[in-house]
Amino acid sequence: MARVIRRPLLLLAAVSVAIVASLVHPTAGVRPFVLVLSVDDFLKDSSAHPSLPSADSTGADADADEWDDFADDTPAADPLLSPSSWVPLLDPTSPRPSGDEQDSPADSLFVAGARAMLSAASEGDDVAFVTAAAQIEAAATAGHPGAQSALAFLSSAGMTRPASRSRAFLLHKFAADAGDLQSKMAIAYSYFRQEMYEEAVKLYAELAEAALTSSLISKEPPVIEPIRLHSGTEENKEALRKSRGEDDEDFQITEYQAQRGNSAAMYKLGLLYYYGLRGLRRDYVKAFHWFSKAVEKGDTRAMELLGEIYARGAGVERNYTEAYKWLTLAAKQQHYSAYNGLGYLYVKGYGVEKKNLTKAREYFKLAADNKEAGGHYNLGVLYLKGIGVKRDIMEACNHLLQAVNAGQPKAIYQVAKLFQKGIGLKKNLHMATMLYKSVAERGPWSSLSRWALESYLKGDVGKALLLYSRMADLGYEVAQSNAAWILDRYGDQSICMGESGFCTDMERHLRAHALWWQASEQGRSKGL
């Protein structure tokens, strides 16, 4: 029976909560857990299934569209710009969500209320917090989905009003029906806790797809760096220090070395900016600058990243000819992940004379043979769909599971789909839900964790608690743990808002207990 356990055991496929899949450059993951499969989890006859994609299907075939992982990867809209997103309030350089709601009276109320709420949490001003909550409630009454989502969070936690899970669920439902993805996260988590997997799996599948899509265009890092504030010392100081972004001493030393002409430092800076690591905000333009400088100085590792940047049009105008050039140069230097990018170009016929599925498969195999997760993933897609090869579901499963083993988020998503539909693997909605959830949690809404940590590092514990509590409502286990720990450690300070004013000792104790319990639920045998 498939299950996920939390110990260093590897039988078939170890899943890592890692950064979102890269076209040619997968990177290390974090918070590993182990997916253990037995022979009983595989179907004996996987040759026929009503949901199997057809290699000969046209674009009108819904199933073919659903399984086409080689479709153009330019999304129409960024899911980050959800009506309830607090990122524009935390970062003035971020764009506001677009749509009919913007600049309406309800939108103005929501923005003013949410901004005032964050400020009140920072300053420990309970009166201002109550006033801010009233503004949010007025916007919610006017039908603003972002305000409904925020009010649901306040109702669930019991801030400025009696705690009511039923009212919180109803408000999240209103917001979700209006397209709010963060409220969908909260609802999906509620279903997950109640073991209502039929409902949870649908929502988490949608959110996982949005998370993968948003990684291509969001300015926020698609990396979850789950820093646990309570990990033993105060409290994992080294990990916290390294999350200070451009204020970190190590970053400043690296930047100085790069400016002095050190190619390795140039490459490292490019990686930090490209993936938004260690508290840095993702910046494709700076990443392109430093990768280009590194190549000029002879660091061949940056070649494949330049190929990826040109293929995606990240920080530069998309140019498949340039992508092919840089990927080819990288491949000649035996950077095997570049073969995965070349295979993609041949599948699509981009930057090359014409599509060539044989070459594509050969390049994917070269990447896979050299332990590149992207190669295994793309081979899995080819065998699943029968593109350039005879369809072989078990071979597809084998490659996809190896990619999952390396923490490839798109592979985790596809294996979740196999469990959901019962293709190659026996239908298992519980397992599908957990896998989708692990991918969904990498969506742009995860950027709140960076702001929460940044606030904590600056000593703004009230704001950190509010942000971690918001993420806890969306189902993030680390946020649940961190919020609970802050409540326990800083219990004598005015950082916790209760039903009327600051939390009483009982309210603070009960809230911390509930958060610890939710976090523990996700670490037991039936969860992660």
Side-chain angles (χ1 to χ4, degrees):
M1 185 74 178
R3 63 191 187 280
V4 175
I5 57 178
R6 291 282 182 195
R7 55 179 181 269
L9 171 66
L10 174 62
L11 297 185
L12 180 57
V15 182
S16 295
V17 177
I19 79 161
V20 73
S22 167
L23 176 64
V24 296
H25 194 80
T27 64
V30 294
R31 194 182 172 219
F33 61 93
V34 179
L35 173 64
V36 181
L37 304 182
S38 73
V39 292
D40 293 333
D41 292 304
F42 292 85
L43 293 175
K44 293 182 179 179
D45 182 11
S46 300
S47 59
H49 190 281
S51 293
L52 275 177
S54 170
D56 300 322
S57 294
T58 65
D61 188 307
D63 286 332
D65 286 343
E66 180 183 1
W67 286 91
D68 185 6
D69 199 69
F70 295 107
D72 289 335
D73 53 6
T74 305
D78 189 348
L80 170 66
L81 302 181
S82 173
S84 65
S85 176
W86 292 1
V87 171
L89 308 177
L90 295 162
D91 181 5
T93 65
S94 297
R96 285 294 319 283
S98 59
D100 297 334
E101 298 286 342
Q102 191 170 354
D103 298 327
S104 68
D107 184 68
S108 298
L109 269 175
F110 165 64
V111 171
R115 184 173 283 121
M117 180 175 64
L118 291 165
S119 177
S122 293
E123 296 169 5
D125 188 336
D126 60 330
V127 175
F129 198 103
V130 171
T131 301
Q135 289 179 295
I136 291 172
E137 184 167 15
T141 302
H144 190 281
Q148 291 168 340
S149 184
L151 188 62
F153 158 62
L154 296 177
S155 296
S156 177
M159 297 184 191
T160 73
R161 64 208 60 240
S164 173
R165 291 177 60 183
S166 59
R167 184 165 188 254
F169 183 88
L170 185 62
L171 286 164
H172 274 313
K173 187 69 167 60
F174 287 150
D177 288 345
D180 191 276
L181 297 183
Q182 289 171 99
S183 277
K184 288 185 180 183
M185 282 286 289
I187 292 173
Y189 175 59
S190 178
Y191 287 142
F192 178 69
R193 288 193 72 194
Q194 298 174 71
E195 301 184 5
M196 298 171 64
Y197 301 125
E198 287 277 0
E199 292 79 7
V201 74
K202 295 174 186 176
L203 281 173
Y204 274 130
E206 176 188 345
L207 292 159
E209 184 175 0
L212 293 175
T213 299
S214 69
S215 70
L216 303 178
I217 55 177
S218 173
K219 292 182 180 179
E220 294 302 315
V223 183
I224 300 177
E225 296 180 278
I227 304 298
R228 294 182 183 277
L229 303 181
H230 57 286
S231 59
T233 61
E234 164 78 0
E235 264 54 331
N236 196 1
K237 282 186 176 178
E238 182 66 15
L240 291 173
R241 185 182 65 79
K242 289 182 178 180
S243 299
R244 293 178 61 87
E246 294 181 351
D247 293 332
D248 177 46
E249 183 180 348
D250 284 350
F251 171 84
Q252 293 170 356
I253 292 172
T254 301
E255 185 178 43
Y256 175 77
Q257 292 173 335
Q259 291 169 343
R260 300 277 293 182
N262 184 304
S263 63
M266 292 173 177
Y267 175 70
K268 182 178 179 180
L269 273 186
L271 287 177
L272 292 176
Y273 279 117
Y274 190 61
Y275 291 114
L277 301 173
R278 292 194 174 184
L280 285 176
R281 296 172 190 174
R282 201 172 192 186
D283 191 323
Y284 289 130
V285 174
K286 287 183 179 179
F288 178 77
H289 169 78
W290 287 115
F291 285 144
S292 299
K293 289 288 187 183
V295 168
E296 288 175 9
K297 287 290 185 178
D299 194 318
T300 61
R301 294 175 297 175
M303 290 177 174
E304 59 179 319
L305 275 305
L306 287 176
E308 176 174 336
I309 283 173
Y310 276 114
R312 284 185 167 169
V316 298
E317 185 176 349
R318 178 173 282 178
N319 187 322
Y320 289 115
T321 301
E322 282 291 301
Y324 179 80
K325 180 187 82 173
W326 287 110
L327 290 172
T328 300
L329 289 171
K332 287 180 179 178
Q333 297 296 323
Q334 295 187 328
H335 298 300
Y336 294 107
S337 57
Y339 285 117
N340 192 46
L342 288 171
Y344 175 85
L345 295 180
Y346 274 108
V347 166
K348 300 298 295 184
Y350 293 158
V352 295
E353 290 183 7
K354 61 180 181 179
K355 290 184 182 181
N356 189 323
L357 297 179
T358 300
K359 274 193 173 182
R361 180 175 57 82
E362 290 173 353
Y363 281 133
F364 291 149
K365 189 173 187 306
L366 276 169
D369 288 346
N370 286 277
K371 300 181 180 180
E372 290 296 333
H376 281 297
Y377 170 73
N378 285 320
L379 281 175
V381 174
L382 293 187
Y383 280 107
L384 181 66
K385 292 195 66 176
I387 300 176
V389 295
K390 183 179 179 181
R391 175 180 290 131
D392 188 328
I393 303 303
M394 292 309 297
E395 186 70 12
C397 286
N398 178 54
H399 284 292
L400 289 173
L401 287 169
Q402 291 192 64
V404 167
N405 179 62
Q408 231 271 11
K410 293 178 79 174
I412 299 172
Y413 173 83
Q414 292 290 9
V415 170
K417 191 183 294 186
L418 297 179
F419 274 121
Q420 180 187 8
K421 294 182 176 293
I423 297 176
L425 301 168
K426 290 181 180 178
K427 190 170 183 177
N428 186 331
L429 295 185
H430 174 219
M431 181 58 61
T433 301
M434 288 197 298
L435 294 175
Y436 279 137
K437 182 177 185 288
S438 76
V439 178
E441 289 183 345
R442 305 165 208 216
W445 35 86
S446 69
S447 64
L448 284 182
S449 64
R450 176 170 64 80
W451 294 102
L453 180 60
E454 183 176 294
S455 298
Y456 179 79
L457 292 172
K458 291 179 178 178
D460 192 347
V461 181
K463 187 188 227 179
L465 174 61
L466 183 68
L467 294 175
Y468 278 130
S469 297
R470 170 62 163 167
M471 293 192 71
D473 190 45
L474 306 185
Y476 287 84
E477 180 271 327
V478 172
Q480 291 163 352
S481 297
N482 285 346
W485 181 82
I486 289 175
L487 286 168
D488 283 343
R489 182 178 179 92
Y490 297 91
D492 58 341
Q493 298 185 21
S494 301
I495 59 171
C496 170
M497 284 301 301
E499 182 177 327
S500 56
F502 291 121
C503 288
T504 64
D505 288 343
M506 180 60 71
E507 283 179 317
R508 184 169 53 250
H509 171 75
L510 290 176
R511 190 176 301 170
H513 177 77
L515 287 164
W516 282 126
W517 180 257
Q518 288 176 49
S520 70
E521 282 182 330
Q522 300 199 64
R524 295 190 309 207
S525 60
K526 294 196 76 173
L528 299 182

